[in-house]
Every structure is written in structure tokens, then in C-alpha cells.
Amino acid sequence: MDSNLNPLLTRHSEALALFGGHVHAVRENQWQAPTPCTDWSVRDLVNHLTVEQLWVPPLVTEQRTIDEVDIEGDVLGDDPVAVWDRAAADAREALAAPGALERTVELSYGQTTCAAYCAQMVSDLVVHAWDLARAIGADERLPEDLVNFTVREVGPYSADLEKSGLFAAPVEPPPGADVQTKLLALLGRRV
């Protein structure tokens, strides 16, 4: 499926490119630098997103369950950028395959549509692109289309995010905050 014909696939490609651009900008001495994700270094953060992309082909293309996909630990090896690039390309290809977004995938919390899974992946990439940008001193401005998409995606379940243990408690955005700042505050980021 041509991503130009599907807005969700377009957002997914844009989010991969955004995060990937920051991955390519990581300097050798920054891989162990801290990130806004308090338990993760830059390498840990990139590894997390890389693992997420590695899950896509087995879940979407092979229709395996999350329990059947044994991808964990540090997958980045000696060339984190190349591993990220391959994982991102394979995930994009799996989600863009004919009929892929109409399928159902089995995740840790149960079955969901591939379209919903893809939307969650976009949101995760966008928020973590900001985390990575902050950690390496890159431009933290997120594209407006991706910010708006992520607000629409996480809004309905934002109250449950902290309970998952994967997100910090929301913080109060400063007065007059823009949409990006409000989104980041909702997800526990201090801007």
C-alpha cells in the first residue's frame, strides 16, 4: 500500500524518519548520556524503539503473538544506527503491505487492530523523538502534524498511562503552553 494514499502510513513514515534522524545525529560520546526517561540512557532509548520496530514483522506479517516473539535485551550491537535503519525499514514494509492495517495483532494486553497498533507506534516514536532530541541537544520542535496526531491518539487513554508504569505522572504545563508542550506535560515530560 502506498503511504501517500493512507494518512496513517504517512504519519508512521514521518515518525520513523523523525526518530531516525535523531538516531543518526547521536555522537559516539552520547550513547550513555541520560534521557528524560529517567531509567534510560540514549542507547537504552534507541534500543527500546528498535525492539518495537523489530516486533512489527512477526506480529503483523507472520501473525505471531507477542509471547511468541522473543526479542529483548540490547539488540543494537556494534552499529546501533544500522540496526535501527534495518528495523525501521522492515517495520514500515510490514505495515504498508496490502491488507496489513486490516489485520488483528495480539499484544501484551490482548487483540487490537493493526491500524490501532500502528497509531500507537507513531505516538511512541513522536514522544521518544523529543526525548532523544533533548538528550543529544538536537532541535526539540516536533512536526505539527505528528503532534496533533499524537494528541488525538493518546487523549482517550491518557489517564491510564501513568498506571501502566511506563509513563511518569502528568505535569502542569506552563501558562500559555503550545500544543506540543501540553502533550509532553500530559506524558510526564518537563519541558
Side-chain angles (χ1 to χ4, degrees):
M1 176 182 287
D2 184 352
S3 65
N4 294 325
L5 301 176
N6 186 302
L8 178 56
L9 292 177
T10 299
R11 294 291 91 80
H12 182 251
S13 291
E14 292 168 351
L16 285 170
L18 176 67
F19 188 83
H22 294 322
V23 171
H24 280 262
V26 176
R27 294 185 307 275
E28 195 57 44
N29 65 342
Q30 292 180 312
W31 287 103
Q32 294 309 315
T35 70
C37 304
T38 55
D39 295 336
W40 287 346
S41 66
V42 167
R43 185 178 179 95
D44 295 330
L45 177 62
V46 172
N47 187 73
H48 167 70
L49 272 292
T50 302
V51 167
E52 285 192 349
Q53 305 319 305
L54 290 171
W55 284 340
V56 174
L59 294 175
V60 174
T61 306
E62 301 168 23
Q63 295 285 274
R64 293 166 58 192
T65 69
I66 197 79
D67 293 333
E68 295 171 333
V69 180
D70 186 22
I71 303 171
E72 56 186 50
D74 187 327
V75 299
L76 297 178
D78 294 335
D79 194 348
V81 175
V83 174
W84 160 260
D85 285 344
R86 271 192 312 278
D90 291 348
R92 182 176 24 256
E93 182 181 328
L95 287 166
L101 293 180
E102 288 77 42
R103 295 182 191 140
T104 301
V105 291
E106 183 75 35
L107 302 176
S108 58
Y109 56 84
Q111 288 192 343
T112 191
T113 66
C114 279
Y117 174 48
C118 183
Q120 291 167 15
M121 298 281 287
V122 170
S123 297
D124 207 38
L125 284 159
V126 170
V127 173
H128 286 314
W130 181 86
D131 293 330
L132 187 53
R134 169 131 315 174
I136 65 171
D139 182 1
E140 296 176 13
R141 196 88 212 122
L142 299 170
E144 185 177 350
D145 286 348
L146 288 173
V147 169
N148 291 335
F149 177 93
T150 304
V151 167
R152 285 190 305 274
E153 172 60 25
V154 301
Y157 54 83
S158 62
D160 295 327
L161 292 176
E162 182 187 1
K163 294 177 203 166
S164 73
L166 301 174
F167 291 86
V171 296
E172 188 66 33
D178 63 7
V179 176
Q180 174 177 316
T181 302
K182 289 177 183 176
L183 169 67
L184 294 168
L186 178 68
L187 300 175
R189 270 74 175 173
R190 296 187 184 278
V191 179

